[in-house]
Amino acid sequence: MDTNTTAVLILVGSFFVMLICRFPIAFAIGLASIFTTYYLGLPMMQIAQLMVKGVNVFTLMAVPFFIIAGELMGAGGISKRLINLSNALVGWLRGGLAMVNIVASMFFGGISGSSTADTASLGTILIPMMHEQGYDDEFSTNVTMASSVQGLLIPPSHNMVMYAMVAGSVSVGRLFLGGIIPGIVLGIALMIYSYILAVKRHYPKGEPFNIKNVLVTLADSIWGLITVIIVVVGVVSGIFTATESAAIAVVWAIFVSFIVYKELTPVKMWHVIERSLGTLAIVMILISTSQVFGWLLTYLKMPEMVASAILGLTDNRYAIMLILNVTMLLLGTIMDMSAIILVATPILLPIAMTCGLDPVHFGVIMILNLGIGLITPPVGGTLFVGSAVSGVPIEKLIKTLVPFFIVMIVVLLLITYIPGIVMFLPNLLMPVLGV
């Protein structure tokens, strides 16, 4: 066995052994990199240099701002206003609260960009409301978790910023635009399934549709929704970079939460900072250690090995795209989303590009795959949050999640094999790469 093959086995093998032993993902990545570097006889100082290089990226500055903005808007009264707006729009349908849940996630996702934040914020309000109106606890929790994945696709999404950073010359603005239609398609698909189930189980309707109520709730929630306009329009038009728009979004969120809605107290603000720093610390450690891991993968020619293995199975582009989806779905069940983006993108993106996939198209496919992973055991972060919020054991949720998985995978296949769903808005509004 040659040196490179042994090094690959040490790198990948030790990483998965530590995952099985429940090491924190960042430590598993970092230690596996140290073991491999030592075996190869490379200078240990290179690890420190690569870790610093990994976080010394201007685009990366957008990530903490998006995290803080999402936490601010979640704690500042925006959640209940979005629920009121969603209720006015779709609450009159059969299974109205399920529809409200999905539409509210569509709105809230455009502010927080986080599946777990969406589930925690909206779930604490909507799941008890649905229980009181006779909805099954499992269904109430599952529709909250499944719809929260829209938040990863609909901009702003700090995961898309991370993908753009790892992928290289990929426009954040084009990625943001690429996620809008798939996010809406996912929401519509979930609404169709929820409506069919609501009719079958005789779930209640809400109050009749009232245009005056829609206008009143829209006026009340518009301050929060302006956050999305600031980010998306600012980045797409070229007025702001992603980092600048994220910083402005934080300032706007503070203004709305403190001055307009007056629901963000100093105590709440402290908790917002605390949660944001906790999330950011995890993300930054992951990025720095993944930089070393990714460099070693490239040094050992792992991307070429994986590409040769996949292309050796078939040269059919549709089959290769299916293999890539299955690979990402499987990775999503055992690894953290951020870690997969950082580690797997350099390996899988070149393969996708050999099939003719635009990096923006592949990025959206990856985000949805990994979003499904967030509600899949054994490491699905959103699944754990949903269970904690609702009090329903994970074992019960998993059984009833199967139809939602099917709906989401159908949407995944649609956006994979119909590129126009992703690429229509980027090609229409930003035909030239580079923002």
Side-chain angles (χ1 to χ4, degrees):
M1 189 180 293
D2 62 36
T3 302
N4 270 25
T5 304
T6 304
V8 168
L9 289 175
I10 293 172
L11 182 66
V12 178
S14 61
F15 170 66
F16 280 107
V17 167
M18 284 184 276
L19 276 186
I20 293 169
C21 295
R22 296 187 177 277
F23 275 60
I25 186 76
F27 288 99
I29 291 172
L31 288 172
S33 301
I34 290 172
F35 297 154
T36 308
T37 302
Y38 179 78
Y39 170 78
L40 291 170
L42 298 172
M44 286 294 171
M45 181 59 68
Q46 193 162 7
I47 291 179
Q49 290 171 342
L50 287 167
M51 289 179 71
V52 172
K53 180 183 176 183
V55 295
N56 189 23
V57 180
F58 178 75
T59 306
L60 190 59
M61 290 177 64
V63 173
F65 287 123
F66 281 137
I67 291 172
I68 295 169
E71 290 285 355
L72 281 168
M73 298 308 287
I78 188 65
S79 303
K80 63 184 181 183
R81 287 171 173 82
L82 292 178
I83 289 171
N84 291 338
L85 174 61
S86 304
N87 189 43
L89 290 170
V90 297
W92 52 275
L93 293 167
R94 174 68 64 184
L97 272 183
M99 308 299 174
V100 169
N101 201 324
I102 296 165
V103 174
S105 290
M106 199 178 295
F107 288 138
F108 190 80
I111 293 171
S112 74
S114 168
S115 172
T116 51
D118 186 324
T119 300
S121 182
L122 299 181
T124 52
I125 301 172
L126 281 169
I127 292 174
M129 287 175 63
M130 294 178 74
H131 175 78
E132 289 176 8
Q133 292 199 17
Y135 291 80
D136 296 339
D137 287 343
E138 290 88 347
F139 171 75
S140 303
T141 308
N142 289 340
V143 75
T144 303
M145 294 188 300
S147 62
S148 72
V149 176
Q150 296 171 98
L152 303 171
L153 295 169
I154 297 173
S157 169
H158 65 266
N159 290 292
M160 284 188 174
V161 175
M162 290 171 60
Y163 169 81
M165 179 193 73
V166 179
S169 57
V170 179
S171 164
V172 174
R174 282 174 63 85
L175 272 170
F176 280 179
L177 289 173
I180 294 174
I181 295 179
I184 294 171
V185 169
L186 177 59
I188 292 171
L190 291 171
M191 289 178 73
I192 291 170
Y193 170 69
S194 298
Y195 179 79
I196 293 170
L197 201 64
V199 171
K200 182 179 178 181
R201 296 183 180 178
H202 305 290
Y203 287 145
K205 295 180 180 179
E207 296 179 1
F209 181 80
N210 186 321
I211 188 64
K212 181 180 178 181
N213 192 27
V214 171
L215 295 175
V216 169
T217 54
L218 177 61
D220 192 33
S221 60
I222 194 67
W223 293 96
L225 294 175
I226 287 175
T227 309
V228 186
I229 298 172
I230 291 173
V231 174
V232 178
V233 175
V235 173
V236 170
S237 65
I239 298 173
F240 311 128
T241 64
T243 302
E244 290 165 348
S245 70
I248 293 169
V250 170
V251 175
W252 178 257
I254 292 172
F255 169 74
V256 170
S257 302
F258 270 114
I259 307 301
V260 180
Y261 292 155
K262 299 179 181 178
E263 293 195 22
L264 190 63
T265 63
V267 174
K268 285 185 179 181
M269 185 65 185
W270 175 257
H271 290 310
V272 164
I273 295 171
E274 191 175 44
R275 287 194 301 270
S276 299
L277 287 175
T279 302
L280 182 59
I282 295 170
V283 170
M284 297 300 279
I285 293 171
L286 270 173
I287 290 171
S288 60
T289 54
S290 295
Q291 177 72 16
V292 185
F293 195 90
W295 183 86
L296 284 168
L297 288 174
T298 304
Y299 180 84
L300 297 169
K301 296 181 169 55
M302 188 72 171
E304 290 88 339
M305 291 166 58
V306 174
S308 297
I310 292 177
L311 296 174
L313 293 173
T314 177
D315 58 358
N316 185 296
R317 68 186 299 267
Y318 299 106
I320 293 172
M321 289 156 69
L322 183 61
I323 291 171
L324 291 176
N325 274 318
V326 171
T327 301
M328 288 185 283
L329 283 171
L330 291 175
L331 286 173
T333 65
I334 60 173
M335 287 176 64
D336 179 79
M337 182 175 189
S338 299
I340 299 171
I341 292 172
L342 295 166
V343 172
T345 299
I347 299 174
L348 301 181
L349 179 57
I351 302 172
M353 292 177 70
T354 63
C355 297
L357 265 69
D358 187 283
V360 171
H361 185 195
F362 179 73
V364 174
I365 292 171
M366 173 177 266
I367 295 296
L368 180 52
N369 267 297
L370 305 186
I372 295 172
L374 287 174
I375 59 173
T376 308
V379 295
T382 300
L383 179 62
F384 291 118
V385 171
S387 175
V389 168
S390 65
V392 181
I394 289 175
E395 310 84 66
K396 287 187 176 181
L397 292 176
I398 293 169
K399 294 177 183 177
T400 51
L401 260 174
V402 173
F404 288 96
F405 284 134
I406 293 171
V407 171
M408 298 175 82
I409 289 171
V410 168
V411 174
L412 173 63
L413 293 174
L414 284 174
I415 70 168
T416 299
Y417 293 112
I418 308 176
I421 296 175
V422 175
M423 300 306 299
F424 173 74
L425 285 181
N427 289 339
L428 177 67
L429 300 177
M430 293 184 66
V432 179
L433 288 175
V435 170

